[in-house]
Amino acid sequence: MSISIIPFDEGEALLDWMALCDTFEAGHKRPKAEIGDTFLYRDPDTLLSRSAWIDGMGLAVKSATIFPGNPDKGAPMINGSVSVFSDSNGSLEAVIDFHLVTKWKTAGDSLFAARRLARPDSRNILIVGAGTVGRSLFEAYSAGFPDAQFAVWNRTRANAEAMLDDCPGLTVADDLETAVRAADIVTSATMSTQPVLKGDWFRPGQHIDLIGAYRPDMREADDTALQRARVFVDSYNTTVGHIGEIKIPLEAGTITRDHLVADYYEPEHFTRGSDEDITLFKNGGGAHLDLMTSRYILDAWQAAR
């Protein structure tokens, strides 16, 4: 049995953001994924295990440890592994660098949604959060919106300034409210448990992309934001009962279940209604997207061999 071992740099050299979006579109035309998520907590640390099986595509298992205190100790915050298994006989086909899959799945998920929900004439994109994901969002959105100008806001300005070296043409925003009001697309990737984005700042025609919240106690946008927007998710199964961005306002009665317009398995509804809509997308990053991304990476790897 031959098992492909795909490291980060060698794998990434073969990938393309728009081709990944095509993979997501094709993948959601297949039978709906069977998924299973497990979350274990030791505050503030998390063990997240996600598994998916798509008939005709195969299986993937990704386990990630998220230790927010690690960077202060000189260690990566997130560690993990991804295994891809054959659909036909269950054999192990590949072990792919966890960070490669996560980078492309996470930013690709947001880009895939934005290409359907954001106005095509969007030119000003604000990135909230100057971490690793923020840099990936710059790459992905630059591919999907090549004429856009980018700004970044971060609680610590020095971290935002450090991002400039990796992102040509990026500027630093000093005031978050002012930057949000000026943006056509706001893409947020923070580790905040309390909302940093206020719906009162939004204006008609904007697209809001929320990535950072991954736990039941985490949110990046306030109640007004969800109430003012048409809300979309990548998967009901991995967001509604699991992620605070959706779970908290639903349980509080701030919004109702029918306020969620669509997920990726409802492509006919996953669209902007008018130029004046405020669209809000919750990137939950479900395991089925890990599988689709892993299969795309593996196919690109094998094609190059």
Side-chain angles (χ1 to χ4, degrees), residues 96-129:
I96 305 175
D97 186 291
F98 167 87
H99 297 287
L100 178 63
V101 174
T102 300
K103 171 184 175 176
W104 282 76
K105 184 281 298 283
T106 301
D109 187 2
S110 287
L111 178 61
F112 184 58
R115 291 180 68 210
R116 285 149 181 78
L117 300 178
R119 289 175 50 149
D121 61 353
S122 297
R123 292 295 179 269
N124 296 303
I125 299 178
L126 173 66
I127 301 170
V128 181

Side-chain angles (χ1 to χ4, degrees), residues 12 14 33 65 83 93 96 120 125 129 156 161 183 191-192 201-202 207 221 228 255 267 272 301 303 305:
E12 182 163 66
L14 306 173
T65 57
S83 298
E93 292 186 270
I96 305 175
I125 299 178
T156 305
E161 292 176 345
M191 293 293 289
S192 180
W201 300 344
F202 298 168
H207 174 61
R228 292 192 63 200
I255 60 172
R272 168 175 289 275
W301 179 264
R305 290 299 178 264

